[in-house]
Amino acid sequence: MRAHEPELRRLMIAGQAGDAAAYRTLLDHLSRHLRGYCKSKLINYGRSSADAEDLVQDVIIAIHTRRHTYSPDQLFTPWVHAIARYKLIDHLRRRNTGFADIPLDGMTSEMEAHDDRNAVESSYDLQRLLAALPAKMQLAIRHVKIEGLSIAETAERCDMSESAVKVNIHRGLKKLADMISREVKS
Amino acid sequence: MKTDELITVLSTNVEPIDRRQLSREVVAAVILGIVVAIGSALALPGMRMDIGAPNALTYFCAKIIFATVIVIAGTAYLLRLARPGVVSPTRSVPLPWPPVAVAAIATVSLVSAPLWHWHNMAMGHGWLECLVSIPIIAVVPFAAVVWAVRRMAPTDLARTGALAGFVAGGISAAGYALHCTDDSIPFIALWYGGAIVMCTLAGALLGPRLLRW
């Protein structure tokens, strides 16, 4: 990941400024690195790599909700690494179920780089999580975050003010993130 | 949920962030803490009445400077510590300097004083009151600082908690100085220092519970 530092940093700073395309490229890139990182760490600690994708998504959500803590005058790679490591340790503590499910064979194939991101799923169900949100938050998130409508269009369709749409998205995403981390805990 | 879907949700129409939000929140928490500390010091034990007495103002200022240095240095370090990947866990920071400086001045003033003054200088009238009041006054400032730090992303929770306790102890010491009539450097070093160490230890113990995110 070090080799990409200048590029990732540039994407992060653009993403912080609201450049969605740069931000998407960044998260895509990070998810690929994180997948390898999480799988190999979980295996190293004698855990099943089956919930690696939950951990990857947990880290990505953490990166997103804490993206204001990255300052452009610091290195980006250590910032990501510190968050990933924190979430990994948190995950290991929460699922402190011993060493029962160490995969004995097939270890090497698990360690290889994975780039099949369309095939990988976590155990979280986005539709179910979304359905648990209040109606306005659901609408705002579906329109703006999934269908990609602009804030103004969504405001018109849902008969809300633009700032109400923004607030609903902000609160809704926060709730989603909380629900996901609660699912990790249980 | 596919990771790809999650990335779509997070990145579509992503909102720009406010770069100064962090330092603004931490500074607001510290200021709130100072206001509450001054308020509770004045309301509970009350303002010292002898502020016009010779030397009283000098020592009052010494206590305030001591507390201010702790609060400023602690806050600056806290702002670094609560950003992931900034402070490497192994690198030490010159935070112990203010206490060491005060301890050195205290030693010098003890050595230069006659032996029979030592007990008065070190114990004063209210060492126990000082040791109890500062941690109590520090509770609300600590809560305020913890609230602000929770909105950041600390990864070393014990250390961050310790530092939050250190800052809260400094804030509280400034408040308590309004009341305290024990005017000697050894007293400040021992009991103000001791109380702040207690706050720091309490913060280190509470950090992993309170700061988890």
Side-chain angles (χ1 to χ4, degrees):
Chain A
M1 203 140 111
R2 286 238 175 247
H4 308 295
E5 167 70 30
E7 175 63 6
L8 292 177
R9 189 190 214 166
R10 188 188 65 72
L11 291 172
M12 179 64 177
I13 294 171
Q16 282 183 323
D19 179 341
Y23 193 54
R24 160 145 219 141
T25 314
L26 175 78
L27 293 185
D28 271 339
H29 204 94
L30 291 179
S31 73
R32 259 171 279 146
H33 282 288
L34 288 170
R35 192 158 300 126
Y37 174 84
C38 294
K39 283 197 172 164
S40 68
K41 286 288 176 186
L42 286 177
I43 291 169
N44 278 351
Y45 285 100
R47 303 302 172 91
S48 153
S49 65
D51 32 348
E53 208 55 31
D54 289 13
L55 183 55
V56 169
Q57 294 190 2
D58 218 23
V59 177
I60 289 177
I61 290 171
I63 288 172
H64 178 77
T65 53
R66 310 279 155 165
R67 67 191 190 281
H68 63 291
T69 65
Y70 173 72
S71 145
D73 55 18
Q74 69 179 107
L75 287 172
F76 180 66
T77 318
W79 182 84
V80 171
H81 187 254
I83 290 180
R85 194 168 166 276
Y86 176 80
K87 284 292 169 185
L88 170 76
I89 293 170
D90 205 44
H91 178 92
L92 292 174
R93 288 211 182 114
R94 278 176 183 158
R95 303 209 174 160
N96 200 1
T97 48
F99 298 82
D101 45 3
I102 310 174
L104 289 175
D105 46 3
M107 271 248 238
T108 43
S109 64
E110 297 255 35
M111 302 280 280
E112 279 162 16
H114 287 255
D115 199 19
D116 46 351
R117 88 171 168 275
N118 292 316
V120 283
E121 286 200 38
S122 68
S123 54
Y124 315 129
D125 181 344
L126 180 62
Q127 297 306 327
R128 187 174 56 74
L129 291 172
L130 265 180
L133 291 178
K136 282 191 173 178
M137 292 183 191
Q138 271 187 57
L139 271 179
I141 291 181
R142 273 188 213 283
H143 284 324
V144 179
K145 293 298 214 169
I146 297 177
E147 292 158 20
L149 294 182
S150 72
I151 304 273
E153 285 169 317
T154 308
E156 202 176 300
R157 276 198 199 188
C158 305
D159 201 20
M160 283 191 257
S161 70
E162 291 193 18
S163 57
V165 174
K166 282 188 196 165
V167 168
N168 275 309
I169 293 173
H170 187 76
R171 295 203 180 138
L173 283 184
K174 203 169 174 305
K175 276 204 160 180
L176 274 182
D178 288 348
M179 284 193 276
I180 288 180
S181 57
R182 236 177 296 139
E183 268 190 32
V184 175
K185 270 181 221 172
S186 60
Chain B
M1 161 170 47
K2 289 177 182 161
T3 301
D4 209 37
E5 282 178 321
L6 175 69
I7 293 177
T8 306
V9 171
L10 297 180
S11 65
T12 308
N13 290 318
V14 67
E15 279 184 32
I17 55 135
D18 178 0
R19 266 191 207 301
R20 300 170 68 179
Q21 181 195 340
L22 283 188
S23 33
R24 215 172 37 219
E25 282 174 355
V26 172
V27 170
V30 169
I31 290 174
L32 175 75
I34 292 173
V35 171
V36 171
I38 291 176
S40 43
L42 291 183
L44 300 172
M47 177 76 191
R48 65 184 294 180
M49 287 306 163
D50 61 340
I51 195 79
N55 282 337
L57 197 60
T58 317
Y59 280 102
F60 174 72
C61 291
K63 290 168 191 167
I64 294 293
I65 290 169
F66 175 62
T68 308
V69 170
I70 284 177
V71 172
I72 291 176
T75 307
Y77 187 43
L78 194 59
L79 270 169
R80 286 159 53 85
L81 203 57
R83 282 181 197 275
V86 174
V87 183
S88 70
T90 47
R91 214 170 76 203
S92 63
V93 178
L95 260 194
W97 277 116
V100 166
V102 172
I105 300 172
T107 314
V108 169
S109 72
L110 273 184
V111 166
S112 58
L115 201 56
W116 57 87
H117 281 182
W118 281 24
H119 183 265
N120 263 349
M121 288 173 78
M123 308 308 277
H125 317 288
W127 66 271
L128 187 60
E129 189 190 357
C130 173
L131 207 54
V132 172
S133 300
I134 289 182
I136 290 176
I137 298 173
V139 169
V140 175
F142 181 70
V145 172
V146 163
W147 170 83
V149 172
R150 272 178 65 93
R151 298 167 62 85
M152 299 179 71
T155 50
D156 184 343
L157 303 188
R159 191 192 287 228
T160 312
L163 212 46
F166 183 73
V167 170
I171 293 172
S172 170
Y176 184 70
L178 295 172
H179 163 73
C180 170
T181 50
D182 284 301
D183 290 336
S184 87
I185 298 291
F187 184 90
I188 299 176
L190 261 182
W191 306 113
Y192 279 61
I196 291 170
V197 167
M198 280 166 58
C199 296
T200 309
L201 290 177
L205 291 176
L206 291 171
R209 289 153 195 265
L210 297 180
L211 294 171
R212 216 156 150 201
W213 52 278

